[in-house]
């Protein structure tokens, strides 16, 4: 029986059934495994706007795209994926479309503006407040790309699934780097929840495709805590994650891990965890260039 299957598969491959276009529909395990990883292209578009020139210089010098590409080197895709950074006429946005992933310099600038002068009382360093949200943005958009290119089934909101995809990958880094990425990512949302018991927002905000910043914050903190309650125990003791939510986060993480394993792991080379585990972020105690010092 097995040899019969092998013959059939060999025939399918030889007759060209496994071309990239065919794979967009319903790939089988063996077809996916035939695909090559290392499918990411990168491009820094020189900023036309003088205001965004410092951001262009910052990300180019820091080799942001090269580093993101190395995080995604194990990704198998039916075609190449371009990661691009450019200025967007004042729009601080990031998205995925047919052309690939685009992150605007204005988007990075918004993150850069909010970087704290010094390490926060909660232990978030200026470097992590800059690096975490940038990595999160690219991984989130890469999530959209994978969902689209592989036609991954999603039950629920794609924006939330992309957030979890990003958080799950960040948690595959070694413990120390994972902690830095999660807290850096959290930092961008913290201003919305800091020292507030209640928030007032226009009702229509709740209709957004994305969850509210506070929900996105608690989601990422919850699966981080659930992945390792020791390593991320400080999220609860420092009051970032309410105990009521924390109680079930282990199950939430296991649910994400199961979904990733069933739906997404075959789109990565088996070495994904080792690749991310070995990845080094810029030193946490090195201060990033100050936005004001231009
Ligand atoms: Zn999105």
């Amino acid at each position: 029986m097995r040899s019969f299957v092998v013959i059939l598969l060999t025939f399918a491959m030889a007759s060209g059934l496994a071309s990239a276009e065919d794979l967009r529909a319903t790939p089988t395990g063996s077809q996916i495994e035939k695909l090559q990883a290392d499918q990411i292209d990168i491009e820094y578009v020189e900023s036309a706007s003088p205001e965004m020139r410092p951001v262009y210089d910052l990300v180019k010098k820091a080799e942001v795209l090269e580093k993101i590409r190395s995080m995604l080197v194990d990704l198998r895709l039916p075609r190449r994926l371009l990661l691009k950074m450019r200025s967007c006429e004042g729009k601080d946005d990031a998205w995925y479309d047919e052309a690939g992933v685009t992150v605007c310099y204005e988007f990075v600038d918004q993150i850069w503006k909010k970087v704290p002068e010094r390490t926060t009382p909660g232990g978030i360093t200026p470097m992590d407040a800059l690096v975490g949200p940038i990595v999160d943005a690219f991984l989130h958009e890469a999530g959209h790309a994978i969902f689209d290119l592989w036609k991954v089934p999603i039950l629920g909101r794609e924006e939330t699934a992309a957030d979890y995809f990003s958080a799950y990958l960040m948690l595959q880094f070694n413990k120390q780097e994972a902690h830095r990425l999660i807290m850096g990512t959290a930092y961008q949302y913290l201003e919305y929840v800091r020292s507030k018991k209640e928030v007032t927002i226009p009702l229509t905000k709740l209709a957004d495709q994305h969850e509210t910043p506070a929900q996105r914050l608690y989601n990422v903190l919850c699966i981080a805590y659930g992945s390792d309650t020791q390593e991320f125990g400080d999220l609860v003791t420092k009051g970032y994650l309410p105990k009521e939510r924390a109680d079930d986060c282990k199950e939430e993480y296991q649910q994400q891990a199961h979904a990733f394993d069933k739906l997404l792991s075959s789109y990565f080379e088996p070495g994904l965890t080792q690749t991310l585990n070995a990845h080094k972020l810029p030193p946490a105690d090195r201060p990033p260039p100050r936005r004001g010092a231009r």
Side-chain angles (χ1 to χ4, degrees), residues 77 81 96 101 140-151 158:
L77 289 173
L81 176 69
Y96 160 77
V101 170
H140 173 105
E141 299 307 334
H144 283 304
I146 295 161
F147 300 155
D148 176 46
L149 294 172
W150 286 120
K151 304 288 174 245
E158 181 171 336

Side-chain angles (χ1 to χ4, degrees), residues 76-89:
R76 295 164 169 153
L77 289 173
R79 63 176 173 82
R80 298 197 68 78
L81 176 69
L82 177 64
L83 307 182
K84 181 153 89 172
M85 299 189 87
R86 68 170 173 91
S87 63
C88 303
E89 296 89 39

Side-chain angles (χ1 to χ4, degrees), residues 56-121:
Y56 166 76
D57 292 339
L58 173 84
V59 295
K60 200 144 187 256
K61 191 162 171 239
E63 300 186 330
V64 168
L65 289 175
E66 287 81 351
K67 284 171 184 154
I68 301 288
R69 178 171 59 188
S70 73
M71 291 174 198
L72 295 171
V73 70
D74 293 319
L75 181 56
R76 295 164 169 153
L77 289 173
R79 63 176 173 82
R80 298 197 68 78
L81 176 69
L82 177 64
L83 307 182
K84 181 153 89 172
M85 299 189 87
R86 68 170 173 91
S87 63
C88 303
E89 296 89 39
K91 216 166 51 156
D92 61 332
D93 210 350
W95 65 87
Y96 160 77
D97 62 16
E98 286 266 295
V101 170
T102 304
V103 173
C104 303
Y105 295 137
E106 288 87 341
F107 181 90
V108 173
D109 200 32
Q110 286 303 317
I111 294 165
W112 197 7
K113 275 183 197 167
K114 289 187 210 156
V115 167
E117 294 252 333
R118 54 187 67 86
T119 300
T120 68

Side-chain angles (χ1 to χ4, degrees), residues 177-197:
E177 315 279 273
H179 202 285
R180 293 178 55 197
L181 286 170
I182 294 291
M183 291 317 292
T185 298
Y187 181 80
Q188 70 184 318
Y189 300 125
L190 281 176
E191 68 180 270
Y192 293 94
V193 291
R194 191 177 292 138
S195 69
K196 282 184 200 153
K197 288 263 184 288

